[in-house]
Amino acid sequence: MLVLGIDIGTSGVRTAVLNATGEPIAPLARASHEADADSNANAWWQAVCEAVQNQVVLVKEAGYDPREISGLAVDGTSGSMVLADADLKPVTPALLYNTAGFIAEAQRIAAFAPDPSITRGQSSALARMLHLQALDQESKAVHLLHQADFIVAKFAGQSLGSDDNNALKTGWDPEARSWPDWLSAAGVNTALLPKVSLVGEVIGKIDPSIADQFHLSPTLALHAGTTDSIAAFLASGANQVGDAVTSLGTTLAIKLLSDTRVDDPASGVYSHRLGDNWLAGGASNTGGGVLAHFFSTDQLKDLSRLINPKIPSELCYYPLLKPGERFPINDPHLQPRLEPRPTDDALFLHGLLESMARIEETAYARLQALGAPRPARLFTAGGGAKNDIWTAIRARRIASEFKVPRHAEAAVGVARLCLDS
């Protein structure tokens, strides 16, 4: 038995094929997004096609037949979406998770949404949907598709709906397992809303022509997916209440397994259902994207060696590339703070890493203040996990047992959904 996981992250697509024990049987494949991927959903699919084609080659080189792959699941960036017609052709630009400024839409939502609700705010996924509705002036749209939904639909040749996790920020109630009645009153075209399945549930089969295109089995089952940060959590091996995962990718996302649901839109906190528990957390706009803006990969390695992580930096930044923060401060107008910049690049990098660790520390403290448990074991995923200096700075600030994840790639975590269903 083999299963395929597809991770659509901020910077590109990664894929993994696992055996029945949950271990990759070949190297992971990668593909970069096209230049217009921020606004073109078809560019997501093109990158997925490239990654899957590369993965099939790697599977064959490892001595396996790709037709042995019996299940497929996809994760995408949380809150990214597009409206499409009956033939899955996008009829609006795609909007990514970090688009904001939907003031009028937020006001409409605030008049009807309960408080608290993750749908509130001018950067909410529901505000994004209302904006897309307004762009569809000829009413061609038939489906609202979150990023992962769109890719699964392309594999199936038809929309198969969404999952508990991706639908949450669009207004799905994971406890009642329904779309709430107030959405219609707020102006949402509820006919566009997807059917929502449990994470990992089998929701359909691959289209035979797509199976033939990738040399996959025509009986391959498609499973309801999840978001990229939850997939990273699943890949880590975290499985106990109090386990936490920080994903240090382009952005900084944290997830904490809690036996209590905690939500606080004012600070960007929300909880996804995961089995019998809740995965509480949020995502900051700081992270590796800021580091990559200032330094190359080689510079980060060389400069990190010059930093003593035992000594706190005196620099206090809020490292953002543009105004706006989601968590642990939910403020679309929050300004970047990157001054003063020392002439010594190592000191500047030290200040950035220290400040990002401070934001992470504040985020976990906020979850605990809301009733979630203290992070007892902390796993780290994403490219930032490879930076030992950053890890040491974080360990100094956050009182937790730092653990090496079983796997760090979200593609591995989303593939595991096919094994657990």
Side-chain angles (χ1 to χ4, degrees):
M1 177 184 183
L2 301 178
V3 294
L4 171 62
I6 301 173
D7 163 49
I8 311 169
T10 307
S11 58
V13 175
R14 294 171 176 81
T15 60
V17 174
L18 313 184
N19 60 22
T21 64
E23 295 299 320
I25 55 98
L28 274 63
R30 292 168 172 79
S32 299
H33 289 312
E34 297 294 331
D36 63 350
D38 285 359
S39 60
N40 182 1
N42 284 325
W44 303 341
W45 174 239
Q46 290 165 8
V48 167
C49 289
E50 180 183 346
V52 172
Q53 287 165 349
N54 294 339
Q55 188 69 72
V56 165
V57 171
L58 293 170
V59 167
K60 290 180 178 178
E61 290 177 349
Y64 293 86
D65 183 348
R67 288 180 172 80
E68 295 179 53
I69 298 172
S70 60
L72 180 156
V74 181
D75 74 73
T77 52
S78 177
S80 299
M81 60 178 62
V82 68
L83 296 186
D85 64 16
D87 296 322
L88 305 180
K89 179 182 178 181
V91 298
T92 65
L95 291 179
L96 292 186
Y97 64 94
N98 57 356
T99 52
F102 307 115
I103 299 173
E105 292 86 352
Q107 291 173 341
R108 286 168 59 188
I109 293 167
F112 298 97
D115 191 8
S117 171
I118 194 63
T119 60
R120 288 175 171 265
Q122 57 183 279
S123 61
S124 81
L126 187 61
R128 219 166 283 132
M129 179 186 177
L130 288 177
H131 182 73
L132 290 177
Q133 281 185 204
L135 294 180
D136 180 31
Q137 296 184 358
E138 297 182 12
S139 300
K140 292 182 178 180
V142 174
H143 305 294
L144 167 72
L145 297 169
H146 303 98
Q147 189 175 49
D149 308 342
F150 180 75
I151 299 304
V152 171
K154 296 293 281 187
F155 274 106
Q158 60 180 316
S159 173
L160 298 179
S162 191
D163 61 85
D164 255 344
N165 295 162
N166 275 297
L168 179 74
K169 293 183 181 179
T170 313
W172 176 254
D173 185 334
E175 291 187 293
R177 291 206 47 76
S178 64
W179 293 105
D181 293 337
W182 63 262
L183 291 176
S184 180
V188 175
N189 180 357
T190 56
L192 300 176
L193 293 172
K195 172 189 174 183
V196 179
S197 301
L198 292 172
V199 171
E201 184 178 355
V202 175
I203 54 176
K205 298 284 187 183
I206 193 169
D207 181 90
S209 65
I210 298 296
D212 185 62
Q213 174 183 339
F214 294 113
H215 306 287
L216 298 172
S217 168
T219 63
L220 186 149
L222 301 173
H223 296 248
T226 185
T227 66
D228 55 344
S229 58
I230 294 179
F233 184 95
L234 297 170
S236 71
N239 56 16
Q240 302 173 19
V241 170
D243 281 353
V245 173
T246 296
S247 297
L248 300 176
T250 304
T251 58
L252 186 156
I254 74 171
K255 297 292 181 187
L256 173 66
L257 194 60
S258 172
D259 52 4
T260 302
R261 181 181 180 181
V262 294
D263 293 281
D264 182 36
S267 55
V269 174
Y270 54 92
S271 293
H272 288 279
R273 182 178 288 282
L274 191 62
D276 296 329
N277 292 306
W278 297 93
L279 205 51
S284 168
N285 288 334
T286 196
V290 178
L291 300 179
H293 177 76
F294 291 106
F295 303 109
S296 69
T297 301
D298 288 340
Q299 286 176 319
L300 285 172
K301 291 179 181 178
D302 293 340
L303 292 171
S304 293
R305 296 189 186 102
L306 302 177
I307 296 172
N308 184 348
K310 296 180 181 179
I311 301 176
S313 171
E314 296 180 358
L315 298 167
C316 185
Y317 299 141
Y318 208 104
L320 300 170
L321 291 180
K322 60 182 180 180
E325 176 61 307
R326 297 175 288 161
F327 171 68
I329 302 168
N330 191 1
D331 180 357
H333 305 295
L334 185 70
Q335 295 296 312
R337 190 169 69 245
L338 294 163
E339 299 289 343
R341 176 168 179 172
T343 56
D344 186 333
D345 281 344
L347 292 179
F348 181 49
L349 177 59
H350 191 178
L352 293 175
L353 297 179
E354 187 84 36
S355 298
M356 290 177 186
R358 185 184 303 113
I359 292 169
E360 181 184 0
E361 176 188 24
T362 302
Y364 281 116
R366 183 60 189 150
L367 291 179
Q368 194 172 354
L370 291 169
R374 182 184 67 82
R377 300 194 303 171
L378 199 159
F379 300 77
T380 308
K386 301 174 184 177
N387 190 315
D388 293 337
I389 299 300
W390 196 358
T391 299
I393 292 172
R394 295 169 54 233
R396 170 168 46 77
R397 299 196 65 99
I398 302 171
S400 181
E401 178 188 0
F402 274 60
K403 302 285 289 184
V404 176
R406 182 179 173 188
H407 293 284
E409 294 285 2
V412 174
V414 73
R416 285 190 177 149
L417 291 176
C418 303
L419 298 174
D420 297 335
S421 61

